[in-house]
C-alpha cells in the first residue's frame, strides 16, 4: 500500500439522542440513537491487482453515513444474581465514492450490522461467577466495497459468530482479588480474516492499596 501525499484527514459530524429508564424492579434500560456523517472518507484504491506485486493507495474518495441504535439493560434478580445485556444495530452505507461509483449504497467494511450480548452473574461475599454470550453478525472486509464476500469458515472470511465466556473471581483479602477466566468456552471455530483463538484461559491477581 503506497502513501498519498495529498491525503486529508477524515472528518466526522455526529448527532446522538438517548434515554435512560429505571424499572420498578430496580432494573435499568437505556436506548441511544445516533447518526454519523463521514466526509473525505479514507478509501483503499486498487492500482494493481492479480499479480505477485499488487498495489493499493489510500485516498480520500467520498462520504458515508452511519445510522445506529443501541440498547442496554441490567436487572438484579435477588440472592446476588443479576442479568444484563446489550443489542446494537448499525446501518452504514457509502454515499459517495469517486474512485468506485458502484460502491455507493453499499455497507462500509469492518462494520457489523448487528451485535448483542447477554450475561448472567452472581456475586457473593467471597466469590463471583459470570457467564457471557457475545454475538456479532457477518461483516464485509474493508477491501470489499461492493459487498460481494459472503464466504464463511475459511482464511480471509469475516464470519458471524456467537461465543461464550466464563469468569470466576475470589476475594482473597480486603485488598487482593484473584480471577480465572475462560474465553470461547465452547471452543467455537470462526474467522476474522485469521482463524480466531479457540478455548483459552487466563488468570489475574489484582492488588489495591
Amino acid at each position: 500500500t503506497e502513501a498519498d501525499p495529498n491525503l486529508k484527514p477524515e472528518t466526522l459530524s455526529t448527532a446522538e439522542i438517548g434515554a435512560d429508564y429505571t424499572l420498578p424492579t430496580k432494573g435499568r434500560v437505556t436506548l441511544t440513537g445516533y447518526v454519523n456523517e463521514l466526509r473525505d472518507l479514507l478509501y483503499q484504491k486498487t492500482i494493481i491487482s492479480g499479480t505477485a506485486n499488487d498495489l493499493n493507495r489510500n485516498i480520500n474518495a467520498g462520504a458515508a453515513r452511519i445510522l445506529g441504535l443501541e440498547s442496554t439493560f441490567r436487572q438484579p434478580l435477588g440472592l446476588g444474581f443479576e442479568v444484563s445485556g446489550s443489542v446494537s444495530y448499525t446501518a452504514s452505507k457509502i454515499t459517495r465514492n469517486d474512485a468506485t461509483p458502484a460502491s455507493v449504497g453499499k455497507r462500509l467494511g469492518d462494520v457489523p450490522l448487528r451485535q448483542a450480548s447477554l450475561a448472567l452473574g452472581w456475586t457473593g461475599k467471597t466469590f463471583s461467577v459470570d457467564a457471557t454470550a457475545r454475538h456479532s453478525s457477518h461483516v464485509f472486509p474493508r477491501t470489499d466495497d461492493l459487498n460481494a464476500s459472503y464466504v464463511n469458515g475459511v482464511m480471509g472470511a469475516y464470519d458471524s459468530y456467537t461465543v461464550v465466556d466464563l469468569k470466576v473471581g475470589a476475594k482473597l483479602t480486603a485488598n487482593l482479588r484473584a480471577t480465572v477466566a475462560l474465553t470461547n468456552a465452547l471452543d467455537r471455530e470462526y474467522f476474522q480474516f485469521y482463524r480466531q483463538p479457540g478455548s483459552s484461559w487466563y488468570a489475574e491477581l489484582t492488588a489495591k492499596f
Side-chain angles (χ1 to χ4, degrees):
T1 300
E2 66 179 11
D4 180 354
N6 299 312
L7 199 66
K8 295 184 292 184
E10 199 172 65
T11 59
L12 170 69
S13 299
T14 184
E16 179 179 305
I17 186 170
D20 294 357
Y21 181 67
T22 301
L23 302 169
T25 55
K26 299 183 180 179
R28 186 185 182 199
V29 177
T30 70
L31 182 64
T32 304
Y34 62 90
V35 56
N36 294 335
E37 293 284 350
L38 287 160
R39 293 181 297 276
D40 292 322
L41 181 68
L42 296 179
Y43 177 81
Q44 195 167 88
K45 182 179 180 179
T46 300
I47 308 300
I48 302 173
S49 65
T51 73
N53 298 292
D54 287 355
L55 179 63
N56 298 315
R57 180 186 300 145
N58 289 326
I59 65 172
N60 297 109
R65 178 178 298 117
I66 301 173
L67 300 175
L69 190 63
E70 300 176 352
S71 181
T72 67
F73 76 94
R74 185 177 298 274
Q75 177 61 58
L77 302 176
L79 300 176
F81 288 93
E82 182 179 80
V83 63
S84 61
S86 65
V87 61
S88 66
Y89 181 82
T90 308
S92 62
K93 71 175 181 178
I94 297 173
T95 55
R96 193 184 82 247
N97 187 347
D98 299 333
T100 310
S103 68
V104 173
K106 304 297 185 180
R107 283 168 47 192
L108 288 173
D110 297 341
V111 180
L113 187 64
R114 295 177 300 275
Q115 289 182 296
S117 68
L118 181 65
L120 178 64
W122 173 81
T123 302
K125 290 183 179 180
T126 303
F127 294 97
S128 64
V129 180
D130 294 280
T132 304
R134 297 179 288 112
H135 171 77
S136 178
S137 63
H138 172 87
V139 302
F140 296 106
R142 188 175 180 86
T143 54
D144 181 15
D145 48 20
L146 298 181
N147 295 174
S149 176
Y150 283 95
V151 65
N152 290 305
V154 297
M155 174 76 169
Y158 287 81
D159 299 340
S160 64
Y161 65 87
T162 301
V163 295
V164 176
D165 303 326
L166 304 174
K167 183 168 65 175
V168 177
K171 184 178 180 181
L172 304 180
T173 69
N175 300 318
L176 196 62
R177 183 174 183 81
T179 303
V180 176
L182 181 64
T183 60
N184 193 3
L186 302 180
D187 202 26
R188 169 72 187 275
E189 179 181 316
Y190 66 101
F191 288 78
Q192 295 291 283
F193 191 84
Y194 298 106
R195 180 177 174 177
Q196 296 302 290
S199 181
S200 308
W201 69 273
Y202 67 89
E204 181 181 75
L205 189 64
T206 305
K208 295 182 178 180
F209 301 96

